[in-house]
Amino acid sequence: MRILVTGAAGFIGRALLQRLLVDTDGADITGLDLVAAPPEASGARLSWISGGLDDRAVLEQLGAASFDRVFHLASVPGGRAEVEPALGRRVNLDASLDLLQLLAQHGNRPRVVYASSIAVYGALSGAPVSAQTEARPLISYGAHKRMVEIALADHTRRGELSGIALRLPGIVARPRPVSGFGSAFMSELLHAVSAGESYACPVSPDATAWWLSAKVAVDNLIRAGEIDVCGTLQLPALRLSIAEVMAGLALLYGAERPARVTFDPDDSIEKVFGRFPMLEVDAELALGFAHDGSAAEMITNALRAGYI
């Protein structure tokens, strides 16, 4: 088996690559990212391509190989894509479409797992959200993710790819320094409390979001590569308030460390990242996708060595 991981040096890609190197005996794995391979990514089964998908030479190099399974994680984050719209379009949309077309031309119908995003939904009304919720993205990042979902579905309809798009929620805990994401407080809160540091949280204790650890996100990506189901799915996640996360932190570290957290709510952040409704993911759970189970398990998984 030949496996391709794009964005392989990123937060999720790095953890996925580690898992694949351990769990897929005999598979030849190609990692692609703008930077060099991370130190822990090594071995005779791993090939590395340093470059971007928006580089024609990189695409030609990929086109020379045939892959059985592809995890497409590479993207320009939403905040940067808004500031640099040409870059966002070139990488998140144009290069992704080119990659799908290239994979489709080999004729072997590879399994393609695409990391989409809850950004496709846009403003959340308070009604429960599922993969069937109408997509109304409010930023270019979400719009481009939705366009690639549609293109993947079309290639799948034509029998050229076996495509599944997973809409990822907030994944924690991103490594420090955590920046460039409006949801950075989700990771920074966990890091600060686990380290016994003071922290001014920019949302209120009542702010509610969808939480998923990097470990379980990788479990779900692996699951998506193994099953035959195609289409667009919403990954399960725990819907937790900051107060519930704080209770989980107190359970793990005692009450003293969470007591060092103060609250200085920023309404612009809380409006976007702190008012998430219920998720309806019964179908995804039935397919073997999962969340962390509890706040304490999510925190433990999120701060687990190898995923931070």
Side-chain angles (χ1 to χ4, degrees):
M1 177 183 293
R2 292 182 55 85
I3 300 173
L4 170 66
V5 180
T6 74
F11 172 47
I12 300 299
R14 191 168 177 167
L16 174 62
L17 195 63
Q18 288 178 262
R19 278 283 302 278
L20 291 171
L21 287 168
V22 171
D23 291 353
T24 55
D25 287 341
D28 292 321
I29 301 170
T30 298
L32 182 146
D33 210 300
L34 291 170
V35 300
E40 70 276 10
S42 61
R45 295 191 295 115
L46 176 66
S47 302
W48 192 266
I49 299 174
S50 293
L53 283 175
D54 56 336
D55 184 331
R56 180 55 55 182
V58 169
L59 279 176
E60 289 176 357
Q61 189 172 352
L62 291 177
S66 176
F67 297 99
D68 304 293
R69 192 169 297 175
V70 177
F71 296 92
H72 180 28
L73 312 181
S75 69
V76 175
R80 186 179 178 190
E82 284 298 292
V83 175
E84 302 181 63
L87 174 65
R89 171 173 173 161
R90 192 168 70 244
V91 175
N92 295 346
L93 180 59
D94 295 341
S96 293
L97 297 180
D98 288 344
L99 175 64
L100 296 183
Q101 183 63 38
L102 180 151
L103 295 170
Q105 290 174 352
H106 280 281
N108 63 326
R109 196 172 179 264
R111 180 65 167 172
V112 179
V113 180
Y114 174 58
S116 188
S117 168
I118 59 173
V120 302
Y121 297 122
L124 300 172
S125 66
V129 171
S130 72
Q132 286 68 51
T133 298
E134 184 177 0
R136 294 182 176 181
L138 295 176
I139 58 175
S140 297
Y141 177 81
H144 293 156
K145 288 289 186 181
R146 180 61 184 137
M147 293 178 196
V148 178
E149 287 181 354
I150 293 170
L152 180 60
D154 191 50
H155 281 294
T156 299
R157 175 190 64 81
R158 293 170 61 88
E160 299 163 340
L161 302 175
S162 170
I164 185 169
L166 303 181
R167 291 175 177 170
L168 274 61
I171 310 296
V172 290
R174 291 185 176 277
R176 285 177 148 180
V178 184
S179 61
F181 296 86
S183 59
F185 69 90
M186 297 172 68
S187 293
E188 191 57 33
L189 173 65
L190 304 188
H191 286 304
V193 174
S194 68
E197 301 169 356
S198 298
Y199 179 63
C201 185
V203 297
S204 71
D206 294 331
T208 302
W210 299 328
W211 301 70
L212 185 68
S213 71
K215 175 189 177 301
V216 177
V218 168
D219 291 343
N220 285 322
L221 288 165
I222 296 289
R223 177 64 179 162
E226 293 172 342
I227 63 177
D228 293 329
V229 174
C230 297
T232 299
L233 303 181
Q234 172 57 55
L235 277 192
L238 293 173
R239 179 178 180 265
L240 298 170
S241 68
I242 295 296
E244 290 171 313
V245 174
M246 295 286 284
L249 288 163
L251 185 65
L252 292 170
Y253 299 108
E256 181 179 344
R257 293 189 192 182
R260 297 175 184 172
V261 175
T262 57
F263 295 92
D264 185 17
D266 181 328
D267 187 62
S268 65
I269 295 177
E270 184 154 344
K271 182 178 179 181
V272 178
F273 298 103
R275 300 176 185 172
F276 283 45
M278 298 293 293
L279 278 173
E280 291 185 345
V281 290
D282 288 348
E284 286 83 354
L285 292 169
L287 289 171
F289 297 97
H291 51 60
D292 288 274
S294 70
E297 289 176 284
M298 179 274 295
I299 296 163
T300 299
N301 289 334
L303 297 176
R304 176 180 171 182
Y307 289 90
I308 59 175

